[in-house]
Amino acid sequence: MAALVIAEHSNAALDDATAKAVTAAIQISSPVHVLVAGSNCQGAADAAAKLSGVEKILVADDARYAHCLAEPMAELILSLAANYDAILAPATANGKNILPRVAAKLDVPQISEIIEVKSPDVFRRPIYAGNAIQTVEAKGFKKIITVRISAFAPVAMNGNAAVEKIAASADPGLSRFVGENLSRSERPELTSAKIIISGGRGLQSKENFALIERIADRLGAAVGASRAAVDAGFVPNDRQVGQTGKVVAPELYIAVGISGAIQHLAGMKDSKIIVAINKDEGAPIFTIADYGLVADLFEALPEFEKALGV
Amino acid sequence: MKVLVPVKRVIDFNVAVRVKADRSGVDLANVKMSINPFDEIAVEEAIRLKEKGKVTEIIAVSIGPAGATETIRTALAMGADRGILVKHEGEIEPLAVAKILKAVATEEQAGLVILGKQAIDDDCNQTGQMLAALLGWPQGTFAAKLEIGDGEIQVTREVDGGLQTLALKLPAIVTTDLRLNEPRYASLPNIMKARKKPIAEKSAGDYGVDPAPRLKVLEVTEPQKRRSGAKVGSATELVAHLRGVGVI
Ligand SMILES: Cc1cc2nc3c(=O)[nH]c(=O)nc-3n(C[C@H](O)[C@H](O)[C@H](O)COP(=O)(O)OP(=O)(O)OC[C@H]3O[C@@H](n4cnc5c(N)ncnc54)[C@H](O)[C@@H]3O)c2cc1C
């Protein structure tokens, strides 16, 4: 029949996560349509039209979708569901929030965070913080899927999809946006960065994170963190990498003052090259690191920065 | 207002997981089982709301094998008032769990259900959202902060870019993130008291729910193993290596 991908976007621009979810969708059903629901989201819709392999972009531009609230978003997706045999969303905070609501209303299970499409009915997904991989078959019902974006390459942006405006559907009026506190950063997004340098409890303070940030700026890298560093208030919550934070797979992941608990490894062990800097030779992070440096980070980081040269 | 707190019995977060040789699943024989960490946070939050006088009764519900009684006792020892065990052996999917919870929430006339955002075994992150859908209630997922007001609840959520605050009409569903609170340890006297708190025993059938899974698990395998690489002598050497492989 067809697949529908729920776009992740900022109204003005399309998030890379969408292009990755489209890659998964193409392997499951065709044609592929993309739903851009937002408020003043023409920018995102125009960008979505360039997604290669996508036939049509559905645009629902209405104030009720400005903050991606689960209840009106689910209603909108449900109003379109009859036309599709698969509905996918990237496993972002939005995707994870909205899609199970859709699945339950359709009385079908959801397949969370797939990392591979083995066939249109068979998917692989991590369980137990990635310590086991489950292969599941979904046959005989509509497939509702979230896609782990670190596991799929994005489609090219050279397509030319038709753009169709659609009407907003009913807003159940159950919830209301009050405010937000988004952390602003000039650095790349964790989930799309090629290089990530992350700090843990070993950094000891918010101020010391400057040691990491300076190197990040030199490398054009994103800054990540362990849960311990976030809990201690060194960095905002959106920097957490791990089982319950962001899952990343950059070209290079540098873990500094992070012990390597399984919950942290769950979020970064698929990185291409892993570097660990830790003063404890026995830290578990070294068991998965391609390059390990046993050193005091307060000496190693300034030296690292210096070695990068001017 | 009554609060329902679902609690799941899962492998303890500190235990190293082993995949069974026949690829049928993960070996749970003789491993330490605990309350799902996110559910423990949910129980703690319910207790804090009760301490503030916003909540009158806390009901801990678990859907699982007989051993899940222990999980309910953990919640009771922390401060929940009574328990319901919906006995079920074997796999059960989030959708079936949500259907059972819907029946319980309706029967108990709960005004709020606080759930963990995900269970650390299947990592699904679905049950709360599904329950909200089935009940037709609003949902505040991944909560870092809660405040109960007049007829509504304000939930500050951990989202990809930072924090977002929503106001939900009550009754509502909340799912917990890690930083909502730090759960208390149950004191010895409270552990003793918990033994006397009532736990009702039910089955999925009592609620008219078919617990059979809809997805078929074909196999469970080990993830690709990473090997540890080389130790380097200094940060300068490290930079040289990274330049050598062209990654910086
Ligand atoms: C349900 C659940 C979910 C979780 N989800 C996540 C998650 O998503 N992400 C996550 O990261 N964690 C998560 N955790 C927490 C996880 O279990 C660990 O507690 C956490 O990752 C530890 O962070 P850390 O490595 O920074 O701190 P620690 O384990 O305390 O390690 C600090 C490290 O710094 C080193 N160090 C100290 N000083 C120096 C120095 N001067 N120079 C060099 N090295 C130094 C130490 O040797 C040590 O290895 C979760 C836990 C639970 C229960």
Side-chain angles (χ1 to χ4, degrees), chain A residues 200-202 225-229 240-245 257-261 263-264 277-280 283 295-298, chain B residues 13 37-38 120 178:
Chain A
R201 199 195 310 268
S226 70
R227 172 186 173 181
Q240 182 175 313
V241 171
Q243 180 183 19
T244 54
I258 292 178
S259 60
Q263 293 84 10
H264 188 78
I277 303 177
N278 196 303
K279 69 176 179 189
D280 172 12
D296 188 322
L297 69 92
F298 296 105
Chain B
F13 80 96
F38 291 97
I120 61 165
L178 295 173

Side-chain angles (χ1 to χ4, degrees), chain B:
Chain B
M1 180 169 70
K2 283 197 213 174
V3 180
L4 203 65
V5 186
V7 292
K8 187 177 186 183
R9 174 179 153 92
V10 298
I11 195 165
D12 186 82
F13 80 96
N14 263 320
V15 171
V17 169
R18 263 199 314 274
V19 171
K20 285 192 203 162
D22 67 0
R23 301 187 159 194
S24 64
V26 157
D27 198 355
L28 295 180
N30 303 317
V31 300
K32 184 178 175 203
M33 304 293 282
S34 297
I35 181 171
N36 178 43
F38 291 97
D39 303 348
E40 195 178 11
I41 294 171
V43 174
E44 175 66 34
E45 198 62 22
I47 297 168
R48 291 186 189 187
L49 291 174
K50 193 177 170 195
E51 286 167 351
K52 283 189 208 148
K54 306 275 186 192
V55 156
T56 50
E57 191 183 23
I58 303 166
I59 307 155
V61 196
S62 193
I63 296 146
T69 310
E70 274 173 50
T71 316
I72 294 174
R73 291 268 176 234
T74 304
L76 298 178
M78 286 171 71
D81 296 295
R82 61 187 165 92
I84 301 173
L85 172 66
V86 183
K87 248 195 169 159
H88 178 79
E89 296 289 339
E91 287 301 311
I92 183 163
E93 289 171 354
L95 181 58
V97 172
K99 287 178 180 176
I100 294 170
L101 293 175
K102 177 193 176 186
V104 176
T106 308
E107 188 176 274
E108 296 288 350
Q109 295 181 300
L112 180 67
V113 184
I114 312 180
L115 307 88
K117 77 164 179 178
Q118 74 193 68
I120 61 165
D121 51 3
D122 61 24
D123 281 335
C124 275
N125 195 337
Q126 301 174 6
T127 307
Q129 296 88 315
M130 288 183 156
L131 177 59
L134 297 178
L135 286 165
W137 293 3
Q139 65 190 55
T141 52
F142 326 145
K145 197 175 158 220
L146 295 188
E147 227 161 299
I148 294 194
D150 203 11
E152 63 172 38
I153 182 167
Q154 287 218 354
V155 182
T156 300
R157 311 174 53 227
E158 294 207 6
V159 294
D160 287 337
L163 296 168
Q164 179 194 55
T165 303
L166 303 180
L168 315 177
K169 283 192 182 148
L170 286 168
I173 300 290
V174 169
T175 77
T176 63
D177 217 316
L178 295 173
R179 280 168 282 273
L180 182 58
N181 61 50
E182 233 178 279
R184 70 195 62 193
Y185 288 102
S187 67
L188 199 57
N190 284 345
I191 293 173
M192 304 303 285
K193 255 198 264 168
R195 291 195 189 152
K196 299 209 185 73
K197 292 182 180 174
I199 300 180
E201 219 178 273
K202 301 273 189 181
S203 71
D206 292 342
Y207 298 106
V209 175
D210 174 7
R214 309 267 296 276
L215 297 171
K216 191 168 158 199
V217 177
L218 302 180
E219 64 171 10
V220 174
T221 54
E222 298 250 348
Q224 245 183 340
K225 282 265 177 298
R226 272 192 96 101
R227 263 187 247 137
S228 62
K231 287 268 173 15
V232 296
S234 71
T236 311
E237 208 182 297
L238 178 58
V239 169
H241 276 292
L242 296 177
R243 285 209 168 115
V245 294
V247 73
I248 60 170

Side-chain angles (χ1 to χ4, degrees), chain A:
Chain A
M1 212 158 53
L4 180 68
V5 174
I6 316 305
E8 179 74 30
H9 63 87
S10 64
N11 290 312
L14 190 69
D15 192 293
D16 199 32
T18 312
K20 294 172 178 175
V22 167
T23 298
I26 289 170
Q27 296 170 35
I28 295 169
S29 190
S30 76
V32 173
H33 297 172
V34 171
L35 170 66
V36 177
S39 176
N40 295 319
C41 58
Q42 195 57 44
D46 290 344
K50 299 203 179 73
L51 288 162
S52 174
V54 172
E55 184 192 65
K56 192 160 74 176
I57 310 300
L58 305 174
V59 186
D61 199 332
D62 190 280
R64 75 192 62 179
Y65 305 123
H67 302 289
C68 222
L69 301 181
E71 302 84 13
M73 282 294 294
E75 289 301 321
L76 178 65
I77 296 165
L78 286 164
S79 74
L80 303 168
N83 305 327
Y84 300 96
D85 57 357
I87 301 177
L88 298 91
T92 53
N94 284 328
K96 292 176 187 173
N97 186 37
I98 298 162
L99 227 51
R101 196 167 174 109
V102 173
K105 291 257 184 161
L106 294 170
D107 195 27
V108 296
Q110 173 177 293
I111 309 142
S112 292
E113 301 226 14
I114 62 162
I115 55 170
E116 190 187 332
V117 179
K118 295 210 44 134
S119 78
D121 298 320
V122 178
F123 311 95
R124 298 181 78 223
R125 56 176 302 267
I127 52 176
Y128 292 91
N131 287 299
I133 309 291
Q134 189 183 53
T135 306
V136 291
E137 184 180 61
K139 245 192 192 144
F141 44 83
K142 212 183 281 291
K143 287 180 266 281
I144 307 295
I145 294 172
T146 63
V147 178
R148 177 166 286 192
I149 53 182
S150 62
F152 291 87
V155 292
M157 297 299 286
N158 56 9
N160 186 17
V163 177
E164 187 185 309
K165 285 213 153 63
I166 60 168
S169 57
D171 180 354
L174 296 167
S175 64
R176 166 169 65 79
F177 174 80
V178 175
E180 63 193 354
N181 184 2
L182 302 183
S183 68
R184 311 225 171 267
S185 167
E186 300 297 308
R187 299 191 185 93
E189 283 287 326
L190 267 179
T191 46
S192 53
K194 291 208 159 50
I195 304 179
I196 296 172
I197 176 163
S198 290
R201 199 195 310 268
L203 265 295
Q204 290 176 9
S205 72
K206 192 175 178 164
E207 292 67 40
N208 289 342
F209 247 80
L211 293 170
I212 297 241
E213 287 158 0
R214 281 209 299 274
I215 293 173
D217 291 339
R218 294 294 311 278
L219 297 174
V223 172
S226 70
R227 172 186 173 181
V230 177
D231 285 0
F234 303 168
V235 290
N237 67 283
D238 56 291
R239 306 287 153 81
Q240 182 175 313
V241 171
Q243 180 183 19
T244 54
K246 293 198 171 119
V247 178
V248 299
E251 301 287 319
L252 173 62
Y253 188 91
I254 308 177
V256 185
I258 292 178
S259 60
I262 51 170
Q263 293 84 10
H264 188 78
L265 303 190
M268 46 65 76
K269 69 181 159 62
D270 293 326
S271 306
K272 287 243 171 58
I273 295 181
I274 296 174
V275 169
I277 303 177
N278 196 303
K279 69 176 179 189
D280 172 12
E281 198 179 351
I285 189 79
F286 285 124
T287 63
I288 60 148
D290 300 285
Y291 299 101
L293 174 59
V294 181
D296 188 322
L297 69 92
F298 296 105
E299 285 158 25
L301 288 180
E303 185 185 327
F304 191 106
E305 192 187 350
K306 205 165 139 225
L308 289 174
V310 269

